[in-house]
Amino acid sequence: MRLSTAMKGVAWGIVAVGVAAPLARRRVRLRPPVVAGLAAAAPFALCVAVPRSRRRDVAVCVLQMWAYLSLYEMPNDDPEALERRVRIRYPVVIDRTLGLGQLPGVRLQRALARVGGLRRLDALLVWAHWIWFLVPHSALLYLLVFRRKRFERSAVLVYAVFDLGVLVYWVLPTAPPWYASRQGVIEAEPALRRLMVEQGEAFWRERWEPLYGLLAGNPLAAMPSLHFATSVMAAFVLADAGPVEGAVAWTYALTLGFALVYLGEHYVVDLIAGLALVLGIRRLEAPLTPAFRTIGRTVAALEMRAAGS
């Protein structure tokens, strides 16, 4: 009983430190690898401290995303240093080639956008973009409630997309189209617009600035598009659960992909990279499954020891 109590105490301590480290990183000047390691340890520690249940599964997912958000935001702790490192031109060159001399995003805005105003289509596509913050997690919540046996594998696949994608943001920080347009790298007449901001200002009015400031943790993290990649992975796992779920999920993923390019948020090459990330993870699932099962058995054994079993 003493050992189990001590193990639970240590596990809860790791959870607390993992939650606090991203919040305190600037004040105590924690190095990024330290913050990442502490935040990433928290979900595993919670599995040791608390018996398996649906509530614990949800809490583990929340801690996983907390670790992801810390890694996503940290490059922007020093905006000037990030701007010195950011790549702007290479996606413009690739997309111009894909668009046969013109950026696909510019072509779409010329064809569909209303000069000097917004259309209902713009609002629809902006909302498709905004609700993404809920979509991958809602897909997993659906599986947790209605397809419990499929939840564990699906959660690993979806969150692997988040975790591997965010590493690219550190190694290859890449600017989105709207930023390149502001820097004069994209020359187009009329200029490429950031329609999401225009819609946000029109819809949310004075609440837009604080809302955008809360959610825009790193504006120079476009390659790969995790908006698209996580939606595609969610579509794959929901399609495995049933044809109706798959049809709804794929409709959303494809709509979002179109919206991201049209709204000036991503290049086509960002979407291609996101799709490649998803397909790569699915390809590696089978060979890596034994390793993940070993990790799972180890954590389960620690959970049993902490429970006194």
Side-chain angles (χ1 to χ4, degrees):
M1 293 298 293
R2 292 177 182 176
L3 177 60
S4 64
T5 301
M7 290 181 66
K8 284 186 177 180
V10 171
W12 278 116
I14 293 173
V15 172
V17 172
V19 171
L23 295 173
R25 67 180 188 269
R26 299 180 189 178
R27 186 178 307 169
V28 299
R29 297 182 181 179
L30 290 175
R31 300 290 296 171
V34 174
V35 177
L38 293 174
F44 294 97
L46 184 66
C47 291
V48 175
V50 179
R52 179 77 185 270
S53 67
R54 286 182 176 176
R55 289 183 179 181
R56 193 192 78 174
D57 288 343
V58 171
V60 167
C61 292
V62 170
L63 289 176
Q64 142 68 32
M65 284 305 298
W66 181 245
Y68 160 78
L69 285 172
S70 68
L71 276 169
Y72 171 75
E73 293 178 351
M74 276 192 289
N76 199 39
D77 285 353
D78 187 344
E80 293 182 358
L82 179 60
E83 288 180 354
R84 289 194 296 268
R85 294 182 58 230
V86 71
R87 271 69 166 186
I88 303 178
R89 295 185 181 277
Y90 83 87
V92 176
V93 173
I94 296 174
D95 251 41
R96 188 169 284 132
T97 301
L98 294 173
L100 303 178
Q102 185 59 270
L103 296 178
V106 172
R107 288 187 185 278
L108 288 175
Q109 288 196 6
R110 285 177 176 173
L112 300 175
R114 175 184 297 166
V115 177
L118 296 167
R119 303 174 63 184
R120 290 184 179 180
L121 173 66
D122 302 333
L124 175 65
L125 296 176
V126 168
W127 276 100
H129 180 32
W130 284 343
I131 66 172
W132 168 82
F133 290 96
L134 302 176
V135 168
H137 317 295
S138 297
L140 293 177
L141 182 61
Y142 172 83
L143 294 174
L144 178 63
V145 175
F146 298 105
R147 301 284 194 276
R148 183 73 182 274
K149 293 181 179 180
R150 296 184 178 275
F151 169 76
E152 187 172 317
R153 167 184 174 267
S154 300
V156 170
L157 291 174
V158 170
Y159 291 126
V161 176
F162 279 105
D163 293 344
L164 294 178
V166 77
L167 297 179
V168 183
Y169 295 164
W170 280 85
V171 177
L172 188 69
T174 303
W178 61 265
Y179 184 90
S181 180
R182 291 181 183 178
Q183 299 300 312
V185 176
I186 297 177
E187 298 179 359
E189 187 62 42
L192 183 73
R193 297 158 61 186
R194 195 179 189 192
L195 295 171
M196 184 192 72
V197 171
E198 294 182 26
Q199 176 66 25
E201 292 172 345
F203 183 84
W204 297 104
R205 300 183 185 278
E206 68 277 0
R207 292 170 291 177
W208 169 248
E209 287 297 331
L211 182 63
Y212 179 75
L214 177 66
L215 299 176
N218 183 355
L220 303 181
M223 170 64 74
S225 169
L226 290 188
H227 287 85
F228 187 62
T230 54
S231 300
V232 168
M233 184 62 89
F236 272 121
V237 299
L238 285 174
D240 292 340
V244 175
E245 295 93 327
V248 172
W250 276 111
T251 298
Y252 172 76
L254 295 176
T255 300
L256 178 64
F258 178 86
L260 292 171
V261 176
Y262 170 67
L263 298 175
E265 297 297 316
H266 280 284
Y267 299 99
V268 171
V269 69
D270 299 340
L271 273 59
I272 294 173
L275 177 61
L277 174 62
V278 170
L279 296 178
I281 290 172
R282 289 177 64 85
R283 184 71 178 270
L284 292 173
E285 179 186 358
L288 291 180
T289 293
F292 281 109
R293 286 178 177 170
T294 299
I295 295 172
R297 286 193 295 266
T298 301
V299 173
L302 291 172
E303 176 191 339
M304 293 181 65
R305 293 288 297 275
S309 302

